[in-house]
């Protein structure tokens, strides 16, 4: 796939590009490109933002600046699936990641300041994605999260032996968390590795792991139910 990231701080993605799964994915023919809104802005002094109409704190990324960035990157040609990173977007999960990684070409647009002019949402965004219900200073960290989760799903990204297909929350695990892992030493401070893992009985190991995944899934579900019960939103409900 081809992944394009638009940001005011493209250099913040340097670290991401040193990561092994990303490097593997790129070697397999995938592409990661970075764009700086300032490089294509039609405004003088590399300006990209402006004060909000109607007043208020903060600055807003201008729609003409976003338009120019997309125009500079794609011209009038085929546009990628355009994903805005915004704290109010659709929550990122494994299902959304699978949906995005199936695309041939995706663009992630990072916001800063108070966000994008609303017309960017209306006229350019195919999707709006959030990585959680809290507000970060900008879309760069979320874009790295999205890029990481997408890249590791690409064939060859994790090396020969492993695959993201069996990760926690994947379809293979029926959306369940992964089972626990152990390695040497077999005993540390009296803390033992479960006997079955040392037994060499592959069928028993498989059953044990599935059972642990189910246990964790049940514990997760219970934790979510209790979080929901205790949330201020559900307190006002009569159900
Ligand atoms: Cl995508 N952006 C910002 N600024 N904050 C966030 C977020 C995105 N997702 C969660 N918090």
């Amino acid at each position: 796939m081809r992944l394009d990231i638009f940001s005011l701080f493209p250099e913040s993605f340097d670290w991401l590009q040193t990561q092994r799964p990303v490097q593997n994915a790129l070697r397999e023919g995938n592409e990661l490109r970075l764009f700086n809104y300032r490089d294509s802005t039609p405004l003088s002094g590399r300006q990209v933002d402006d004060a909000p109409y109607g007043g208020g704190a903060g600055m807003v990324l201008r729609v003409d600046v976003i338009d120019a960035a997309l125009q500079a990157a794609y011209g009038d040609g085929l546009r990628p699936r355009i994903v805005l990173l915004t704290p109010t977007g659709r929550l990122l999960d494994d299902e959304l990641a699978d949906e995005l990684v199936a695309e041939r070409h995706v663009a992630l647009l990072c916001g800063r300041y108070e966000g994008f002019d609303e017309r960017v949402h209306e006229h350019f965004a195919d999707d709006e994605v959030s990585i959680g219900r809290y507000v970060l200073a900008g879309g760069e960290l979320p874009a790295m999260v999205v890029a990481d989760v997408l890249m590791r799903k690409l064939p060859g990204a994790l090396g020969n032996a492993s695959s993201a297909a069996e990760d926690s929350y994947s379809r293979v695990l029926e959306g369940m968390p992964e089972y626990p892992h152990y390695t040497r030493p077999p005993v540390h401070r009296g803390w033992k590795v479960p006997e079955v893992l040392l037994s060499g009985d592959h069928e028993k190991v498989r059953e044990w792991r599935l059972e642990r995944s189910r246990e964790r899934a049940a514990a997760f579900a219970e934790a979510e139910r209790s979080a929901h019960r205790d949330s201020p939103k559900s307190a006002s409900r009569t159900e």
Side-chain angles (χ1 to χ4, degrees):
M1 82 179 300
R2 168 180 279 183
L3 187 62
D4 295 337
I5 303 179
F6 293 77
S7 161
L8 291 169
F9 305 98
E11 67 284 353
S12 54
F13 294 86
D14 288 353
W15 170 82
L16 178 73
Q17 295 177 78
T18 68
Q19 297 304 292
R20 181 62 62 76
V22 174
Q23 291 186 340
N24 287 343
L26 299 183
R27 207 175 312 111
E28 295 290 324
N30 299 287
E31 277 185 77
L32 179 63
R33 302 189 302 176
L34 288 154
F35 298 89
N36 189 337
Y37 299 122
R38 294 195 194 279
D39 291 343
S40 51
T41 181
L43 309 173
S44 63
R46 292 170 71 77
Q47 184 190 345
V48 293
D49 59 341
D50 233 316
Y53 281 125
M59 298 291 270
V60 177
L61 283 171
R62 290 173 52 131
V63 63
D64 49 353
V65 168
I66 304 301
D67 196 348
L70 295 173
Q71 192 61 30
Y74 310 120
D76 296 321
L78 229 58
R79 291 260 162 123
R81 180 154 166 185
I82 293 176
V83 177
L84 240 54
L85 293 159
T86 138
T88 53
R90 173 175 165 194
L91 274 184
L92 179 65
D93 60 10
D94 194 66
E95 198 181 318
L96 175 54
D98 277 338
E99 214 179 294
L100 292 176
V101 83
E103 296 279 343
R104 199 183 45 80
H105 192 181
V106 171
L108 305 178
L109 272 54
C110 304
R112 278 263 149 184
Y113 318 119
E114 289 307 298
F116 301 95
D117 184 288
E118 185 61 22
R119 291 164 289 183
V120 175
H121 298 262
E122 287 172 11
H123 300 288
F124 293 120
D126 296 307
D127 299 277
E128 306 192 6
V129 171
S130 162
I131 64 164
R133 294 301 180 230
Y134 42 81
V135 176
L136 299 166
E140 282 73 21
L141 288 170
M144 269 187 255
V145 169
V146 174
D148 184 305
V149 71
L150 296 187
M151 288 285 173
R152 68 196 307 286
K153 282 177 179 289
L154 293 168
L158 300 186
N160 311 326
S162 50
S163 144
E166 293 170 37
D167 276 346
S168 291
Y169 313 114
S170 63
R171 262 193 291 277
V172 173
L173 278 179
E174 298 165 19
M176 295 189 294
E178 238 186 326
Y179 48 79
H181 303 279
Y182 293 87
T183 187
R184 283 181 284 273
V187 186
H188 179 73
R189 293 183 181 232
W191 306 328
K192 292 197 184 101
V193 172
E195 208 59 57
V196 57
L197 298 178
L198 311 174
S199 70
D201 184 335
H202 298 300
E203 185 54 26
K204 277 231 173 70
V205 167
R206 208 186 56 79
E207 282 169 19
W208 182 88
R209 286 176 167 169
L210 193 58
E211 203 40 51
R212 298 290 82 69
S213 276
R214 291 201 172 115
E215 257 172 33
R216 287 181 163 191
F220 263 51
E222 177 48 34
E224 286 207 339
R225 271 194 299 275
S226 108
H228 187 250
R229 269 198 304 274
D230 299 341
S231 82
K233 263 189 219 142
S234 64
S236 62
R237 273 197 220 124
T238 48
E239 66 192 31

